[in-house]
Amino acid sequence: MSITSSPPAVPAAAAPSFLNIAHSFSGRRWLARPYDERLALALSQGRGLPDIVGRVLAARGVTPEDCDSFLNPTLKGLMPDPSRFHDMDAAAERIARAVMDGESVAVFGDYDVDGATSAALLRRFFRAVGRDLRIYVPDRIAEGYGPNAAALLRLRQEGVSLVVTVDCGIAAFAPLEAAADAGLDVVVLDHHAAEPALPRAVAVVNPNRLDEDGAYRTLCAAGVAFLAVVAINRALRRAGYYAGRAAPDLMEWLDLVALGTVCDVVPLTGLNRALVSQGLKIMARRTNPGLSALADVAGMKDRPDSYHAGYVLGPRVNAGGRVGGSDLGARLLSTDDPVEARELAQRLEGHNAERRAVEQAVLQEAMAAVEAMADEERELIFAVGEGWHPGVVGIVASRLKERYNRPACVVAIEERPDGTRVGKASGRSVRGVDLGAAVIAARQDGLLLAGGGHRMAAGFTVALERMDELRAFLTRRVSEQLAAEPLLPTLELDGAVSVGAANLEMVERLSMLGPFGTGNPEPRFAVADARILRADVVGANHVRCILAGADGGRLKAMAFRALETDLGRGLLTSAGATLHIAGTLRIDRWNGQESTQLFIDDAARPQG
């Protein structure tokens, strides 16, 4: 198999360009992903692995000692005792008591995938133990993110005695204070960045509490909710609740945990890796009617992996919270009625198409605003627009971050019923910049009406008259973090392959390293010296290519959403030329046939 790699890489500022590519079509410098050659050899020889697998493992810091658990992650080996988390036992006892006493309980969730999967998980658990659970997801436009006093008090008036917040609540000081004063018990299950003070609640479970040891700080809300369900189940068992009735099989809901974990873009290492690895196996069984219906309307035929969770199922679950009904995702994932599941899935499919159109319109306006900025103003991308739909600002922020390699905040201006004008925003960050900490600091300084987040993502609401002050504050915070490590537009690669070597055998060998995601990136290679036989446009803005190699190989390739980018233009004008094409390799199944396809991330002309 013709595969080459550069010597182990050194820090980006001093590392030689991989394949001598210092400026690609996308303006990036190509680098070899750092790895230890001796470690790679030890892994491949000691475990009987292909050389390429050993090299990729070494580049991800896997050692011979943890190789087996990495390749075969199990909950038995990686699952902690839930009681290790502060307030977990108090949370479990309170929720178990509500189950046993038949109290009216509601789960208050977020409108993204992590919130929807967490809420659905709790509802499925309640139903499995003979109770029901009301799901409340706030309207993104009318209520905004997280618990609000009006909603909590309304739930109390309707007879709810316990509310469990999932994927929110850690910063809801005033709403939870109002709930407590009204006699409403609240349990917080969250994972967002916490402050020294905690909100008033029966229990606050959060691996990012400052008094936690940080060992599980990368858990998403669905992971926290699963640990809570384990603890509640144990409390019910100890109380004798299962005498005469079957206890639920908690493992059957790991498909929800896997979906939430992948879509919240937390590192797929340690416990997260085990949750996703086992959860994808459950997802493949198609036992959840909502997930099955969603896969059907999306035309998903392959065995699900992290790509399908993150890019096929996730966006559709998200679509309801962005441009449709905020609770549609949680309802879909918690229903056992196949007819209702199909109806909800079709509604979400329609909302997803609407979301794409709205997103594209906002993205074009935001990019125009950014292009009008001077280069020195782009250390933090901060785009503000009238009439932008707040449901797509997070996606647009992600697109801007990818395009400009800078932290990005996208702010939609809206007018409240009382006539005040505010900006509702989402931000996405890059490695090396803790955007959530910057937003929390801005809120603590009184610049925000609300705000919070974590290292890679944040959200906030700001009064219009404080917008410029906030932008200066966040830019200063970002600049301080970047001063130690300036951002360079780079692309890390795991090696170079010929067109002929990029075959099914190689993809199958690499698949044993999945699931892929943050913390375990999908292996990316440069397909070297590939001649562009054909390049054309498919769909709305994708660029499709057929590549040929000197070794006689042929390879299909696709650059998604690339038509109006420098990469897309470079590919379309290079018919007959020879390029280095960087991307990830996957199996393409069509009409019963399997072939390899390259998902293009970048391209460059070979240098002398």
Side-chain angles (χ1 to χ4, degrees):
M1 184 179 294
S2 176
I3 303 174
T4 62
S5 68
S6 68
V10 295
S17 300
F18 187 55
L19 296 179
N20 294 321
I21 303 303
H23 193 82
S24 68
F25 284 176
S26 297
R28 291 183 283 189
R29 185 182 182 200
W30 289 7
L31 298 174
R33 196 181 300 278
Y35 74 97
D36 184 309
E37 287 183 325
R38 289 176 297 180
L39 176 59
L41 187 62
L43 288 166
S44 57
Q45 293 184 349
R47 293 294 189 278
L49 300 170
D51 289 345
I52 185 62
V53 173
R55 186 183 308 151
V56 173
L57 285 170
R60 282 141 186 81
V62 178
T63 65
E65 292 73 26
D66 56 28
C67 181
D68 290 339
S69 66
F70 184 90
L71 294 177
N72 300 290
T74 64
L75 289 177
K76 182 178 180 180
L78 294 166
M79 183 83 168
D81 183 343
S83 294
R84 81 183 307 279
F85 297 96
H86 289 293
D87 278 4
M88 181 66 87
D89 288 341
E93 292 295 335
R94 180 64 186 91
I95 298 171
R97 188 169 79 248
V99 169
M100 292 185 290
D101 293 346
E103 294 182 49
S104 178
V105 183
V107 59
F108 198 110
D110 188 16
Y111 27 63
D112 68 358
V113 179
D114 197 17
T117 52
S118 301
L121 170 61
L122 284 178
R123 190 177 202 184
R124 286 191 170 280
F125 174 75
F126 264 65
R127 286 177 172 171
V129 298
R131 305 297 185 195
D132 202 358
L133 181 75
R134 176 174 175 179
I135 292 177
Y136 188 95
V137 183
D139 182 88
R140 181 187 292 266
I141 296 176
E143 298 176 87
Y145 167 81
N148 62 84
L152 292 173
L153 296 179
R154 187 164 59 250
L155 289 170
R156 181 68 181 125
Q157 291 168 359
E158 293 170 358
V160 171
S161 57
L162 173 65
V163 167
V164 182
T165 74
V166 291
D167 201 25
C168 58
I170 193 64
F173 293 95
L176 266 57
E177 187 75 26
D181 289 342
L184 176 64
D185 283 351
V186 176
V187 168
V188 175
L189 303 179
D190 203 352
H191 73 118
H192 291 96
E195 301 176 39
L198 296 174
R200 185 179 171 189
V202 171
V204 178
V205 181
N206 186 335
N208 282 296
R209 279 177 50 156
L210 299 185
D211 52 359
E212 293 285 359
D213 61 13
Y216 295 93
R217 64 183 181 275
T218 64
L219 279 172
C220 70
V224 175
F226 182 73
L227 289 170
V229 164
V230 171
I232 301 163
N233 192 60
R234 184 167 59 188
L236 290 172
R237 190 182 301 278
R238 288 173 178 168
Y241 184 76
Y242 294 128
R245 73 167 71 213
D249 178 7
L250 309 186
M251 302 292 283
E252 67 177 296
W253 304 315
L254 285 176
D255 50 0
L256 297 174
V257 183
L259 181 61
T261 301
V262 170
C263 292
D264 217 51
V265 202
V266 294
L268 296 191
T269 56
L271 177 58
N272 285 340
R273 182 170 174 78
L275 291 170
V276 173
S277 180
Q278 300 305 317
L280 289 174
K281 296 175 184 177
I282 303 298
M283 194 181 294
R285 299 176 189 171
R286 294 174 68 96
T287 55
N288 184 302
L291 282 175
S292 296
L294 202 61
D296 289 341
V297 300
M300 195 178 105
K301 303 297 184 183
D302 296 337
R303 181 181 179 85
D305 58 19
S306 54
Y307 170 79
H308 298 101
Y311 293 97
V312 179
L313 299 175
R316 289 168 169 80
V317 173
N318 257 337
R322 297 192 185 281
V323 297
S326 58
D327 65 346
L328 288 179
R331 287 170 54 196
L332 172 76
L333 298 176
S334 61
T335 185
D336 286 319
D337 182 349
V339 175
E340 181 185 25
R342 283 194 299 272
E343 188 269 332
L344 290 172
Q346 288 166 354
R347 287 176 63 184
L348 285 170
E349 180 72 7
H351 288 316
N352 194 48
E354 179 185 355
R355 184 269 307 169
R356 285 195 296 264
V358 172
E359 172 198 332
Q360 188 61 28
V362 174
L363 178 60
Q364 292 299 323
E365 291 186 32
M367 285 176 54
V370 175
E371 292 296 333
M373 300 176 185
D375 289 343
E376 59 270 18
E377 295 178 311
R378 295 185 190 174
E379 201 151 39
L380 168 68
I381 303 299
F382 198 94
V384 183
E386 295 269 6
W388 291 354
H389 196 297
V392 302
V393 293
I395 306 176
V396 174
S398 294
R399 302 281 185 256
L400 295 178
K401 178 206 72 171
E402 294 166 2
R403 182 177 181 85
Y404 297 103
N405 193 43
R406 289 290 184 273
C409 294
V410 179
V411 188
I413 297 174
E414 64 178 48
E415 185 172 320
R416 288 182 163 179
D418 62 4
T420 59
R421 303 181 75 215
V422 300
K424 288 189 175 180
S426 282
R428 297 295 182 268
S429 194
V430 295
R431 187 171 58 185
V433 176
D434 188 341
L435 186 60
V439 167
I440 290 172
R443 193 188 76 233
Q444 292 171 336
D445 271 19
L447 295 176
L448 297 175
L449 300 173
H454 48 77
R455 293 190 66 86
M456 302 305 291
F460 57 85
T461 302
V462 58
L464 193 59
E465 61 269 18
R466 306 298 296 273
M467 189 80 71
D468 291 341
E469 191 179 356
L470 171 66
R471 178 175 184 169
F473 180 94
L474 293 179
T475 298
R476 185 168 61 253
R477 287 289 180 129
V478 167
S479 298
E480 290 170 355
Q481 295 185 59
L482 291 177
E485 186 180 352
L487 293 175
L488 300 173
T490 60
L491 185 71
E492 284 193 321
L493 298 158
D494 288 287
V497 301
S498 65
V499 173
N503 54 28
L504 288 172
E505 178 188 3
M506 180 180 178
V507 178
E508 288 167 355
R509 288 182 175 182
L510 292 171
S511 67
M512 64 192 301
L513 300 171
F516 300 114
T518 304
N520 180 36
E522 190 168 2
R524 180 188 290 119
F525 295 92
V527 179
D529 298 319
R531 186 161 57 90
I532 307 293
L533 291 182
R534 188 180 74 194
D536 57 10
V537 179
V538 294
N541 58 352
H542 312 311
V543 176
R544 175 179 59 187
C545 301
I546 301 295
L547 311 180
D551 55 9
R554 294 287 187 276
L555 181 64
K556 295 183 294 184
M558 183 79 75
F560 291 98
R561 299 189 305 272
L563 178 59
E564 297 180 4
T565 68
D566 291 337
L567 171 61
R569 287 186 285 269
L571 292 171
L572 289 170
T573 57
S574 296
T578 297
L579 304 176
H580 296 326
I581 313 287
T584 55
L585 294 164
R586 300 199 184 101
I587 296 177
D588 180 47
R589 296 179 175 87
W590 181 252
N591 286 337
Q593 301 294 316
E594 291 187 346
S595 61
T596 309
Q597 183 172 21
L598 177 71
F599 284 24
I600 301 174
D601 293 317
D602 205 354
R605 300 190 186 284
Q607 303 300 304

